[in-house]
Every structure is written in structure tokens, then in C-alpha cells.
Amino acid sequence: MSYNKSEVAFKEAYEVIPGGVDSPVRAFSSVGGTPVFIERGEGGYLVDIDGNKYIDFVQSWGPLILGHCDADVESAVIEAVKKGLSFGAPTLTETDLATEIVDMFDSIEKVRFVSSGTEAVMSAIRLARGYTKRDDFIKFTGCYHGHADSLLVQAGSGMATFGSPSSPGVPADLTKHTLLATYNDIESVKKCFEQSEGGISSVIIEPIAGNMGLVPADEEFLEELRALCDEHGALLIFDEVMSGFRASLKGYQGVGSVKPDIVTLGKVIGAGMPVGAFGTRKEIMAELSPEGPIYQAGTLSGNPVAMAAGLASLKKLKSNPEIYATLERRAKRLMEGFKEAADAVGVPMVTDVRGSMFGFFFSDKPVKNFDDALENDSELFGKFHGKMLEKGVYLACSSYETGFISTVTTDEMIEEAILAAKTSLQELTA
Ligand code: KE4
């Protein structure tokens, strides 16, 4: 494959955009090489500006569950565009999409739309703080919830559970109320509750973590988390920006039984357009402006074109819920094939699947938390990523991301990717 045009494009982009990209992970920093610049999507494929075609397992980091240029989503967007791009006033489509989400998520009675997952999480944290009148909240190392200041934290010093900024530009004052616990470790959560002087407003977790690789939480751990929140009067926030409509039609709640208080959503509900959302029961949402005192706003929140895209996408998924069984079967077949490829050359690999989400680590031990994930052979992952790209398979460009199957990822594409994995690993271990 030739990447000449992408190499030139990357240099040009670098002159006017930091790192040449508008979101850091896209720069291929952790896998090496030049990020390919995309010309267009075609169903389950991406085509780059050099004309190379790839089976797309990234799908814009989750949103494109129906694949690229889905006819129904496209016509809904075009119809909406012809009426205008934005009004800054209520539209019926917002109510329609909100109704779909309320119908699908038992724990959501009312929902507010925003323009990104970051905004959804930032607003949910504020809502929980305002509702409980407490400032501290708990997050888990390895979970990513967007780039709002109080969520950019890393483990503090020593035994302290209080986070310190993980990025320059984030004042310590803005992370001193963020406590860090270990995923799947309930004792670490209890410690946070004990160390919080003012009390915990919320515990936020990805119930199916997709930002340290795919690492689902143990059901028993989530049950204990629910009980702890109830005991202390803290709100449990499930960040389903990624897992919502990806693990099942109801996200985690379609495959697990623990009920959160607040849910954050994004990605699939915009079908590729900028949409985030957060929702919970009415008595909590009543605290949100303009009903209540907790402020939250957005010029393009509930944008009618984005709403039309999301509504068409959700309606299509809702009309065909059995598609999730097919998505999961294909994800399992892909991971089975990757595991066969690794076993054939004596390379350790662990894999996992939840609905249309899949993940694999070059590691010989089960991954239950971020420290486990960090033990994977990310150098081998980088080389594998490059080989697969050459063979026309577009995987997430980091060991700490999740892969996705779309409704237009066919069995043939799955087998093609498995063959590419086999030859790539043979070449890498020869
Ligand atoms: P956005 O602000 O990027 O729309 O959403 C933030 C977010 C919140 N919560 C979860 C569980 C998420 O996965 C995300 C964003 N996911 C990453 C992919 N791991 C977006 C890709 C990127 O940062 O470019």
C-alpha cells in the first residue's frame, strides 16, 4: 500500500493543527506510522486519500453502528438540512429522540441533549453535585469520561485516593474533589468513601469499560457499588457514551441487572453527528435549569440535523433488535480467529466481547483493571496494527481502545480480517 498522499497531508495538517489532528488518539502516536487521511466511508469500509480500502473496525470510535452512508440516516439528515441547520429553539425531533431514549433505558425518565460525551459527563457530575450538595466524586483509573478538567486526574501521591491533575492546565483545585478507585475492586471504593470528608456526590463508571481496552466490570462488583452508593446517598453514574447501543439496544442495562441513577450517552445516538446526552429520574432532572437552579446550556444542544441522524439510527436498531445477536456472533468469531492466529505462533492473547464491542490484549493474563491492561505488549500491538493496516484492516490505533462490529460488517469481512491477522502475526514472529 502507498500512503504518499496521507504523508503529505499529515505534514500540511501539522502546520495548522496541533499534532495534525483534532483529537490526539488519531495521530497514531502509540502505534507509529502516519495516520491515513480518509476520503470517504462505504458501508463497512473506509477509503483513504491514496485510494486504499480498509475494513473499518473503528467506526468513528463507536457511532457508526450502521456503517458509513447508511441510506436511512442519510435521507433523514438531508431532509433535515433542507429545513435549516439550527434554530436555537425547540424542535419536535428533540422530543422524538428523547422519547426513544426514555423508552429504551429504564433508569431514564428525562434526558437532556448536549454536543459531546464530555459535555454529557461534565453536566452529569454537576447535576449530581447540585442534587446531593456534595463536592467529592469517585472515578476509576483506566476509565475515560471525556476531557472536562475534574476528570483529567491521575493517582495522587502515596496512599491518598485524591486525584492530582493528569494534564498541565488543570489546576489542582479542580481535581482535589476527584477520588480515584481501582476498577473491579470494591475495597478501593470503600476507602474513597471513608476518606471523603464532605461525602461523595457520585460514583462514575463505565460499566463496560472501553477506554483501557475492553474490560467489562464484574456484575458482583457493580452490585456492591450500587449498595455502597445507596448506603451513602451517592448517585451512581453509568457512563455509557461508548457502550450505550453498542453492548445491546439498552447498553449495559440490556446485559446486566444493576440500575444506575444517571446515564450518560453519546456516539451512536448521534450516528456520527455531534450528540451527547445525560438522563435520570424526573425528581433529579427537575433540579436542572430552567426548572431548577443547576445551570447547564448549549447553543447547538439538540441540533435538529444531529437529532434527525440519531433518531433514524435508533429507530432502525429498535426495529431490528435481533441484529445484536448477529453483531455479537461476528465479534466472537473475529476474536476467536485472532486468538487462533496468536496461538499458532505462540503469542499470548486474551480477548473479550460484549455485543458489538470487542477487545484483545497481547497478554497471558485476564485483564480486570488498568494495571493489568498496562501489562500488555503494546509494542507488539503497534507492529500488528501497522501490518493489519497494510492488509486492509483498520483497527483502533491504541491497545487501550475497543473495536466495533457494524451491521454491515459481513462474515466475509470477518474471515478476511482473521486471515490478515494470521499472516501479520506469522510475519511478525518469523
Ligand atoms: P467525546 O467528548 O469524545 O464525545 O466523549 C467522551 C467520552 C466519554 N465517555 C466515554 C466512555 C468515552 O469513550 C468517551 C470518548 N471515547 C473516545 C474513544 N475512546 C473518543 C475518541 C477520541 O477521544 O478521539
Side-chain angles (χ1 to χ4, degrees):
M1 280 193 174
S2 154
Y3 303 122
N4 294 341
K5 288 182 179 174
S6 280
E7 284 161 358
V8 170
F10 194 39
K11 289 192 178 81
E12 288 171 351
Y14 206 89
E15 291 306 307
V16 288
I17 299 172
V21 291
D22 283 311
S23 197
V25 71
R26 303 178 193 171
F28 276 26
S29 312
S30 64
V31 294
T34 301
V36 292
F37 279 58
I38 302 304
E39 165 71 25
R40 66 182 183 281
E42 281 177 5
Y45 294 96
L46 285 174
V47 180
D48 73 16
I49 60 175
D50 285 289
N52 302 313
K53 191 170 182 178
Y54 308 93
I55 301 169
D56 182 11
F57 288 112
V58 177
Q59 296 155 33
S60 183
W61 304 100
L64 278 300
I65 193 168
L66 297 176
H68 299 282
C69 305
D70 173 84
D72 297 311
V73 174
E74 207 165 74
S75 55
V77 166
I78 290 165
E79 189 184 334
V81 163
K82 286 179 176 173
K83 295 182 200 168
L85 295 179
S86 179
F87 313 112
T91 63
L92 296 174
T93 330
E94 293 161 77
T95 307
D96 292 344
L97 184 55
T99 303
E100 289 297 332
I101 291 170
V102 166
D103 285 350
M104 288 180 193
F105 281 79
D106 302 343
S107 48
I108 297 179
E109 293 179 335
K110 281 195 175 184
V111 61
R112 169 67 59 85
F113 293 111
V114 292
S115 297
S116 71
T118 293
E119 260 196 283
V121 169
M122 180 180 74
S123 307
I125 296 285
R126 184 182 309 139
L127 178 61
R129 282 171 156 165
Y131 179 74
T132 61
K133 297 178 177 46
R134 300 172 183 172
D135 293 339
D136 291 354
F137 73 95
I138 298 169
K139 80 173 288 289
F140 294 85
T141 46
C143 284
Y144 175 70
H145 303 290
H147 65 95
D149 281 340
S150 59
L151 284 143
L152 292 182
V153 295
Q154 60 192 352
S157 55
M159 297 303 283
T161 54
F162 289 86
S164 61
S166 61
S167 164
V170 177
D173 278 351
L174 297 187
T175 58
K176 67 183 181 184
H177 293 295
T178 310
L179 286 81
L180 277 170
T182 303
Y183 203 73
N184 279 321
D185 173 352
I186 199 65
E187 292 309 316
S188 70
V189 185
K190 288 175 181 171
K191 199 168 138 200
C192 290
F193 274 101
E194 288 157 14
Q195 295 200 346
S196 169
E197 289 174 14
I200 298 292
S201 57
S202 65
V203 178
I204 185 166
I205 189 168
E206 293 177 66
I208 301 171
N211 289 287
M212 51 176 136
L214 181 63
V215 183
D218 295 336
E219 190 68 4
E220 185 187 351
F221 169 69
L222 291 177
E223 288 164 0
E224 290 170 326
L225 203 54
R226 175 71 273 174
L228 260 182
C229 286
D230 291 342
E231 182 189 336
H232 292 274
L235 297 180
L236 180 56
I237 303 174
F238 276 2
D239 180 354
E240 293 224 64
V241 165
M242 186 190 290
S243 56
F245 304 100
R246 273 290 182 178
S248 80
L249 195 55
K250 296 171 184 279
Y252 156 82
Q253 296 183 56
V255 295
S257 59
V258 175
K259 289 284 174 265
D261 296 298
I262 299 176
V263 180
T264 55
L265 296 167
K267 296 182 191 271
V268 169
I269 64 169
M273 299 290 285
V275 179
F278 61 102
T280 182
R281 51 187 184 274
K282 285 177 179 172
E283 53 128 353
I284 300 176
M285 289 302 262
E287 294 298 308
L288 205 57
S289 176
E291 276 186 63
I294 302 171
Y295 195 68
Q296 184 276 332
T299 301
L300 297 179
S301 295
N303 173 270
V305 179
M307 295 291 105
L311 187 60
S313 182
L314 291 202
K315 279 185 170 176
K316 196 158 181 175
L317 292 167
K318 195 175 170 183
S319 70
N320 180 18
E322 58 281 358
I323 187 67
Y324 283 91
T326 305
L327 293 171
E328 180 154 277
R329 176 179 59 76
R330 287 178 171 152
K332 285 181 175 172
R333 172 58 193 140
L334 184 71
M335 289 299 93
E336 180 189 65
F338 275 31
K339 181 71 174 129
E340 285 165 4
D343 290 349
V345 292
V347 166
M349 179 183 281
V350 289
T351 70
D352 212 334
V353 165
R354 282 296 182 284
S356 66
M357 302 163 75
F358 66 84
F360 61 96
F361 290 100
F362 287 116
S363 175
D364 56 7
K365 64 184 259 187
V367 178
K368 303 301 279 181
N369 58 44
F370 193 43
D371 284 345
D372 292 345
L374 290 173
E375 288 186 36
N376 90 95
D377 184 344
S378 51
E379 188 184 339
L380 175 58
F381 178 88
K383 293 173 184 164
F384 180 68
H385 180 273
K387 286 281 186 188
M388 293 291 272
L389 200 66
E390 285 166 16
K391 292 168 174 54
V393 179
Y394 194 81
L395 294 173
C397 47
S398 162
S399 314
Y400 308 111
E401 293 290 352
T402 294
F404 303 99
I405 303 292
S406 79
T407 56
V408 290
T409 309
T410 63
D411 290 325
E412 293 71 27
M413 293 157 84
I414 296 288
E415 294 309 317
E416 200 180 315
I418 290 170
L419 183 59
K422 287 180 176 165
T423 49
S424 295
L425 287 173
Q426 282 163 359
E427 289 165 14
L428 287 170
T429 55

